Structure formats: C-alpha cells, structure tokens
C-alpha cells in the first residue's frame, strides 16, 4: 500500500539505524501532526504508534527507513508514515498481531496496539524479504 | 634528497623570494574568521602550519597521509579541534586550508607550464589537507555531542526528597532506553540511601508513553516493591491515558494520581503523616 500523499508536499524519508533516530522520528511525526491540526489526543496516538513501529523496524527488521508526510483524500487531511525494512519478515502475522505475543522480551503490544491507535493500518511482510507497515491518522 | 634544484617545485612556489605568502594567508583567513580567533593565536597557528608544510614538501611528501606529513597532521588536528570547540562551522574550519590556494593563485599569472603543474599538484595536496580538517572537526563534534548526551542523562533525572520517607522523580522529555535505565537505577538507589518507603514517579513532562517506556516504568515499580517501597505514578495527562488504554497496556495494581500534589498527599497518608488545614489567621 502506498499513501495518498498530499500533492506538492513531498514526504520525507528518515533513517532508522540506531535508537537515537527514534527521537527524531517522534519529533517529525509531532511536527506533521501539529501542522495537520490533529487533536492533542490524536497527535499523541500517532506519535506513539510511530514510536512502536520504528522500534520494531530497528529491533526486528535490523533497521530501515520511515517515509512520513501529509496525506489528502476526499477533502480530508491526515498524517501518514510508512515503515520499511528488509529484515527477516514476520512468518505468522496473526500471531504477531496478537496482544501480548512477543518473540523478544517486549510486552507484545506494539503491533496490535499501533493498529488500535491509528485509522488506517496496513502490514505487508514477506518472510526472508522484509516488512512494510503503513499507518495513517486522519483529521476529524 | 629531493629535487631542490628544480626551479619551480612545490617548495619553490611556497617560498617565492620577497613574497611573504604566509602573511597573505593569515590575512585571508582572518578575514573569514573575524575577531573570534585572536590575531596572535591565528598568526602562530598558521605560521607553524606553513613551516611544517614547507618542511614536509621539502622531504618529498606527496599527500596528506604521507609519513612526512605527520607534523602537519598534528597541527591540523589541533586547529580543527579548537575550531570545533569554539563553535565554528566545518567550512569556517576548512577555509583555513583552502585559503592558501587562493593566496597562491596570483602565481599562475606568469603562467609557465611548470608553475601551473606545481600549483595543481599542491592544490591536490591542499584539498586532501582540507578534507582531513573536516574529518577531524566532525570527529571532535561527535565526541562533544556524545559527551553532552551523557551529561544530559545525568542532569535530567534528579531524584528529590519531598518529605521524610517520600522521594520523587520528575521525568521530563523523551524517555529512551538508556535514560529510563538511569532513572530506574537512581530511584532504587535513592530508596536505599534515604530509607524511603514511598516513591512518586511524575510523568507530567513526558510527551508520549509507548510500550517500552511503560515496560520500564512497570519494571521499576516491581523492583521498588521488592525493596519494600510503594510507587505512585502521577501526572498522566488525558491524552497519554487514552493512548495507554488503546495500546492495551495494563497498569493494574499500580496506583496513579492525576497530579504530583495528589500523589504526595497519598504518600504522606500512607506513611502516617496527617495533614491538617488550619483556619485562616489561626496559628
Ligand atoms: N519489522 C519486523 N520484522 C520482523 N518481525 C517483526 C517486525 N515487527 C514485529 N515483528 C515481530 O512481531 C512481534 C510482535 O511485535 P510487537 O511490536 O507487537 O511486540 P514486541 O515488539 O515484541 O513488544 P513491544 O510491546 O515492546 O512492542 C515481535 O516480537 C516480532 O517477533
Ligand atoms: Mg514492538
């Protein structure tokens, strides 16, 4: 899935290579969310979802990138972020999306929680090739 | 010995009779740096560098990494480090080297093929030296930044004693793994040092709580419990509360309070302190 990026506003690509990058990504998402005038609650939800997915990209995907920007559809605006890695992929998506399931030492709530925090959620993963997760939060 | 007799070798173009190239170089550089580096200091830095460079070339150095350039590299390292610490930009730093090329340009006017060749060769060497300054500069900057990040880790996590037996950590800003780890250790240590049995973790200043932050908080609280202390989390904003719920994090069994004041009241009550409000005027 690609996102309906707002015409004339190029999304920006941020690297996810070390834990310090997560701070930049949260800040970038915050700035975009404020520009779009998401409510304070929705800003916090979008930032938190991005933080979860970026950390998964780093820890399980072995690093990657996030492409983030504003999106438009049918007169509505929103913020989108696409997390991409060429790591091992997720062999059992249903299991990974289950609350509390973790292959590491996490709470196992990042993926399933992120889906509840945003409006659009799309997970595309191919074992051995990598994982792409797209999230969008629309302005209400 | 190196071709001392060749009329226009590299050393030759740097030591043209009756032309004080070093002085022109210093003038050129000081024009770009303004008054932020003292005249005398700059004069000394560049003259030393100039002499070292001439000497290195005399010994046959052909690029930055040459054995004969070690003195030049040492001086450039010092210069770059100083500039990085003084807050100059990378270009302001590298210009110190590149300005020498500009100073030598007039020599091209007499145009003999040998001079041009020597100039180009020296130009390549100077390019290498310029890049070397930028690398050293960047390295110094990186060192400064990580040192500051470490200091920040320490600075931003004070554990304060609110009352006898009651301590608090006000968390401010983004909580990454490293910082949360520091907070946790400090809090547990402070429980021991002060013999406190009540700890308050105030997250008013935290913009977002994700699963990692939550996990660190939960672990800290469990560890504190094992040490016989009770924790209260205060300052959970409405937007963070909603996000935590949507994420599915369970703070079951953990006492939370809207404000630090409420958390303190609770902690005092738990440690057996009675707060009595006096009526106005009565003492
Ligand atoms: N980009 C990815 N590449 C490969 N595997 C992944 C990726 N993202 C998630 N996973 C797998 O899905 C599991 C669940 O992820 P989720 O984010 O829900 O939990 P977690 O990261 O283990 O814990 P946390 O609650 O701290 O996020 C992970 O343990 C991991 O095995
Ligand atoms: Mg996760």
């Amino acid at each position: 899935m690609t996102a309906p990026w707002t015409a004339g506003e190029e999304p920006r690509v941020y690297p996810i290579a070390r834990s310090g990058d997560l701070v930049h990504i949260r800040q970038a998402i915050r700035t975009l969310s404020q520009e779009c005038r998401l409510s304070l609650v929705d800003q916090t939800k979008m930032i938190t979802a991005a933080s979860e997915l970026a950390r998964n990209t780093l820890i399980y995907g072995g690093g990657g990138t996030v492409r983030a920007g504003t999106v438009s559809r049918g007169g509505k605006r929103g913020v989108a972020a696409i997390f991409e890695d060429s790591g091992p992929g997720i062999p059992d998506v249903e299991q990974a999306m289950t609350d509390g399931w973790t292959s590491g030492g996490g709470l196992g709530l990042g993926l399933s929680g992120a889906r509840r925090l945003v409006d659009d959620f799309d997970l595309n993963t191919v074992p051995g090739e990598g994982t792409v997760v797209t999230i969008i939060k629309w302005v209400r | 010995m190196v071709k001392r007799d060749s009329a226009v070798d590299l050393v030759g173009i740097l030591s043209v009779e009756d032309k004080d190239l070093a002085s022109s170089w210093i003038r050129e550089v000081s024009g770009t740096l303004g008054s932020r580096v003292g005249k005398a200091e700059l004069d000394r830095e560049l003259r030393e560098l100039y002499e070292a460079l001439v000497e290195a070339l005399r010994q046959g150095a052909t690029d930055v990494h040459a054995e004969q350039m070690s003195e030049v590299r040492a001086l450039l390292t010092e210069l770059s480090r100083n500039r990085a610490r003084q807050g100059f930009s990378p270009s302001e730093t590298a210009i110190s080297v590149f300005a020498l090329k500009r100073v030598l340009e007039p020599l091209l006017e007499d145009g003999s093929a040998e001079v041009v060749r020597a100039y180009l060769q020296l130009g390549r060497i100077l390019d290498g030296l310029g890049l070397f300054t930028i690398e050293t500069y960047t390295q110094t900057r990186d060192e400064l930044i990580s040192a500051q990040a470490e200091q920040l880790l320490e600075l931003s996590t004070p554990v304060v004693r609110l009352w006898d037996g009651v301590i608090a950590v006000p968390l401010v800003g983004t909580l990454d793994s490293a910082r949360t780890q520091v907070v946790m250790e400090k809090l547990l240590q402070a429980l021991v040092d002060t013999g406190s049995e009540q700890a308050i973790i105030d997250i008013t200043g935290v913009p977002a709580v994700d699963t990692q932050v939550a996990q660190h908080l939960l672990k800290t609280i469990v560890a504190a419990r094992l040490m016989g202390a009770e924790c209260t989390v205060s300052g959970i904003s409405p937007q963070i509360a909603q996000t935590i719920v949507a994420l599915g994090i369970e703070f079951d069994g953990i006492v939370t309070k809207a404000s630090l004041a409420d958390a303190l009241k609770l902690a005092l009550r738990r440690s057996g302190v009675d707060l009595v409000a006096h009526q106005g005027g009565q003492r």
Side-chain angles (χ1 to χ4, degrees):
Chain A
M1 176 171 133
T2 173
W5 303 115
T6 307
E9 288 176 35
E10 279 293 297
R12 282 192 57 185
V13 179
Y14 304 85
I16 307 176
R18 54 182 71 92
S19 62
D21 291 339
L22 304 188
V23 179
H24 292 139
I25 291 163
R26 281 195 288 266
Q27 269 159 8
I29 299 288
R30 173 182 302 278
T31 308
L32 283 168
S33 305
Q34 285 169 346
E35 277 168 16
C36 263
R37 302 186 173 281
L38 284 179
S39 71
L40 197 52
V41 173
D42 286 348
Q43 283 180 29
T44 310
K45 287 183 173 177
M46 183 66 186
I47 295 164
T48 308
S51 183
E52 293 301 333
L53 298 173
R55 188 172 312 103
N56 283 353
T57 303
L58 179 68
I59 296 177
Y60 304 110
T65 57
V66 56
R67 184 183 301 271
T70 59
V71 284
S72 310
R73 188 198 284 149
K76 274 209 300 188
R77 301 236 308 153
V79 180
I82 304 181
F83 301 82
E84 194 165 353
D85 66 64
S86 14
I90 304 174
D92 186 342
V93 174
E94 203 182 316
Q95 187 182 45
M97 291 296 299
T98 307
D99 274 359
W101 190 84
T102 174
S103 67
L107 293 175
L109 291 170
L111 273 180
S112 48
R115 179 162 64 176
R116 287 187 291 265
L117 289 171
V118 297
D119 298 316
D120 297 1
F121 181 96
D122 181 78
L123 175 88
N124 201 327
T125 182
V126 180
E129 284 182 25
T131 303
V132 182
V133 184
T134 306
I135 54 171
I136 304 181
K137 191 90 192 158
W138 295 102
V139 177
R140 261 170 249 287
Chain B
M1 264 312 276
V2 194
K3 39 188 171 84
R4 274 297 295 163
D5 46 353
S6 156
V8 270
D9 57 14
L10 295 182
V11 180
I13 69 169
L14 282 178
S15 13
V16 183
E17 295 269 346
D18 64 70
K19 269 211 178 133
D20 190 355
L21 287 171
S23 298
S24 318
W25 184 29
I26 293 163
R27 257 197 311 284
E28 183 89 24
V29 174
S30 95
T32 64
L33 297 182
S35 55
R36 285 181 294 164
V37 178
K39 275 259 183 294
E41 191 192 338
L42 186 67
D43 200 276
R44 182 191 52 78
E45 265 179 358
L46 295 187
R47 272 186 207 284
E48 268 178 10
L49 194 54
Y50 194 85
E51 277 162 30
L53 179 62
V54 172
E55 186 52 36
L57 295 172
R58 183 170 288 137
Q59 291 172 13
T62 50
D63 68 38
V64 218
H65 304 292
E67 169 81 45
Q68 302 95 322
M69 282 284 186
S70 63
E71 176 69 13
V72 173
R73 285 196 301 270
L75 290 170
L76 276 181
T77 303
E78 193 191 311
L79 182 145
S80 313
R81 289 186 155 273
N82 289 339
R83 297 282 194 280
R85 284 202 199 92
Q86 290 158 342
F88 286 94
S89 72
S91 7
E92 283 171 322
T93 305
I95 198 83
S96 294
V97 173
F98 294 131
L100 184 54
K101 282 169 85 176
R102 213 172 312 148
V103 168
L104 292 172
E105 268 167 27
L107 294 179
L108 291 171
E109 276 162 25
D110 91 19
S112 96
E114 281 172 334
V115 171
V116 174
R117 205 177 310 120
Y119 175 84
L120 289 177
Q121 198 184 339
L122 186 58
R124 269 196 298 276
I125 295 178
L126 291 176
D127 288 347
L129 293 176
L131 292 176
F132 178 81
T133 16
I134 294 177
E135 260 165 46
T136 318
Y137 173 96
T138 315
Q139 207 182 324
T140 309
R141 264 297 161 95
D142 287 349
E143 285 164 17
L144 286 176
I145 291 169
S146 45
Q148 283 167 352
E150 262 165 48
Q151 287 169 3
L152 217 57
L153 269 184
E154 289 296 313
L155 274 179
S156 50
T157 53
V159 178
V160 291
R161 200 166 134 261
L162 292 182
W163 203 271
D164 254 355
V166 183
I167 58 173
V169 247
L171 298 179
V172 176
T174 305
L175 289 176
D176 57 16
S177 239
R179 249 194 85 194
T180 330
Q181 187 72 28
V182 173
V183 173
M184 174 165 157
E185 281 165 14
K186 275 199 168 184
L187 178 67
L188 298 178
Q189 189 59 47
L191 282 174
V192 177
D193 294 346
T194 62
S196 298
E197 288 192 351
Q198 297 292 329
I200 301 169
I201 303 175
D202 184 74
I203 62 167
T204 309
V206 177
V209 173
D210 61 11
T211 58
Q212 196 187 36
V213 173
Q215 207 182 5
H216 283 300
L217 280 177
L218 293 171
K219 276 187 187 156
T220 308
I221 292 167
V222 171
R225 263 190 206 148
L226 287 175
M227 294 171 54
E230 284 178 294
C231 277
T232 308
V233 179
S234 67
I236 301 182
S237 62
Q239 61 271 19
I240 287 191
Q242 292 185 48
T243 305
I244 288 176
V245 170
L247 261 180
I249 298 168
E250 287 170 11
F251 268 18
D252 292 2
I254 289 164
V255 182
T256 57
K257 287 282 165 199
S259 70
L260 181 56
D262 291 341
L264 177 59
K265 256 187 240 158
L266 175 69
L268 289 176
R269 188 157 3 103
R270 278 169 163 177
S271 28
V273 177
D274 274 330
L275 288 183
V276 180
H278 288 271
Q279 298 220 319
Q282 283 185 324
R283 288 224 151 195

